[in-house]
Amino acid sequence: MLVELRPSCRAALLALCLLWSGRPAAAQGAVAAAPALPPAPLRVLINDVAPYTLRGEAQRPGMHIEIMNALAQQAELAVSINSAVYVRLALGLKDGSADLVVGVDGPELDALAQKIVPFHSFKFVVLTRKAAGISQVSQLRGHLLGVARGAFYDESINNDEAIQKFPMADPFQGVRMLALERLDAVISSDYLLSYALRQTGIDRASFAPPFVVNEKNYSLYARRDLSEETLRALRRAMEQLQKSGRLNAILRSYQ
C-alpha cells in the first residue's frame, strides 16, 4: 500500500534527515579541536667537568646545572640537560643535537650561535711547578702545557706553536701530572683548578702561585633559529636571578 505524506510531514522528515547527516561532521570537528601537545624541552649541553657538573648528589648537581635549572624555572621553560667534554659543546651546535650550550665566550661559539646571557665571569690561570720558573705566558714557550681539548684561552697561547700543548682529560689529570713532573704547567679556570686541588689532596708546596692570563665569561648560547620569544624569556629570567641574589648564592656555594 502506498502511503502519501502530507507536505508538512515531508518537510519535517527532510529536516530530521539533515539533522542526522550533520552529526558526523560535528563529531569530526570535535576530534580536530583536540588540545595541542606541549613543546619539546629545550636541549641544553653543559661542560662535563667538576664543579660545573657533579655526579652522585641529587641536591648538588653542579654549578652550571643549578644555574640552568633556576633559569628555566624562572623563565617557565622545560629543559633537558646533558653534559659532555668541552670539545663536544661546539659539535652539539654544529650537528643540531643541542638548542642551548653553556660555554666560554670565544670565536668558535660566536660563529656558531647567538649569545643570550652571561652565566658568570672567571679567570684563566696557569698553575706551574716552582722548579719550572714560569710566571708569565711568554715563559711557557718550550714547555709542556696541559690544556682542555677544544678550549680557546688566549691568542698568546692558542696561536703560539712554541708552547707545547698536552690535551688533558680534565684539570684533575693535569694537576696529578704536574705533581709527577710530567707537565710543566696547567691552564684552566680558577674555579676548576681550585676545585681540582682541593679534591686531589695534593700538597701545593711544590707549585708556584698561579698567574692570571685573562678574564672571560661562561655564557648561554642558543642556536640561531631559536624563537625570539624564548630568548626574551631567558634574558628576563637571568635579570630576575641576578636581582634576587639567587645567581650569586649558587656561585658562592661552589667556591
Side-chain angles (χ1 to χ4, degrees):
M1 180 176 63
L2 181 63
V3 178
E4 183 178 355
L5 295 176
R6 295 178 181 177
S8 59
C9 292
R10 287 199 298 270
L13 181 60
L14 179 60
L16 184 61
C17 290
L18 290 173
L19 177 63
W20 278 98
S21 66
R23 289 177 64 86
Q28 291 174 2
V31 172
L37 294 174
L42 294 169
R43 301 161 301 168
V44 186
L45 204 53
I46 285 175
N47 192 4
D48 189 8
V49 65
Y52 300 148
T53 298
L54 296 179
R55 304 184 186 280
E57 295 184 51
Q59 301 302 317
R60 192 173 168 80
M63 179 195 295
H64 288 176
I65 293 180
E66 277 203 46
I67 295 174
M68 192 65 234
N69 280 331
L71 191 63
Q73 182 184 38
Q74 184 68 44
E76 298 183 349
L77 294 171
V79 294
S80 172
I81 301 176
N82 288 298
S83 57
V85 294
Y86 192 82
V87 69
R88 185 69 183 78
L89 301 185
L91 291 176
L93 292 167
K94 288 178 182 177
D95 63 21
S97 61
D99 301 308
L100 300 168
V101 160
V102 181
V104 179
D105 290 6
E108 184 175 27
L109 291 181
D110 287 342
L112 290 171
Q114 51 186 330
K115 192 185 322 182
I116 308 175
V117 289
F119 262 38
H120 64 84
S121 62
F122 68 92
K123 294 179 177 66
F124 272 132
V125 297
V126 174
L127 184 67
T128 68
R129 293 183 292 107
K130 283 183 179 178
I134 300 170
S135 59
Q136 56 188 355
V137 171
S138 62
Q139 294 174 326
L140 290 170
R141 293 174 183 153
H143 292 279
L144 188 58
L145 174 68
V147 300
R149 285 186 289 268
F152 184 87
Y153 300 104
D154 191 81
E155 289 185 358
S156 64
I157 291 176
N158 288 71
N159 298 342
D160 193 339
E161 295 182 0
I163 301 175
Q164 302 172 48
K165 301 173 182 73
F166 174 83
M168 57 188 181
D170 52 48
F172 296 85
Q173 180 193 30
V175 168
R176 288 191 291 267
M177 290 182 69
L178 191 61
L180 294 171
E181 300 186 9
R182 294 173 60 189
L183 290 175
D184 298 310
V186 171
I187 184 170
S188 190
S189 79
D190 47 1
Y191 282 103
L192 298 189
L193 275 180
S194 295
Y195 192 84
L197 286 168
R198 288 199 306 271
Q199 296 300 311
T200 55
I202 294 175
D203 184 7
R204 302 189 190 190
S206 61
F207 300 149
F211 65 87
V212 176
V213 175
N214 55 29
E215 187 168 338
K216 295 271 190 175
N217 283 318
Y218 257 101
S219 294
L220 183 64
Y221 282 84
R223 58 182 173 83
R224 294 200 178 278
D225 60 345
L226 203 62
S227 73
E228 188 60 35
E229 181 183 0
T230 299
L231 301 183
R232 284 195 300 267
L234 288 167
R235 291 187 182 110
R236 287 195 299 265
M238 181 56 81
E239 288 179 7
Q240 290 302 314
L241 291 184
Q242 291 170 336
K243 289 178 181 178
S244 67
R246 189 175 179 188
L247 178 62
N248 282 334
I250 294 173
L251 294 175
R252 284 197 303 269
S253 70
Y254 287 92
Q255 289 177 335

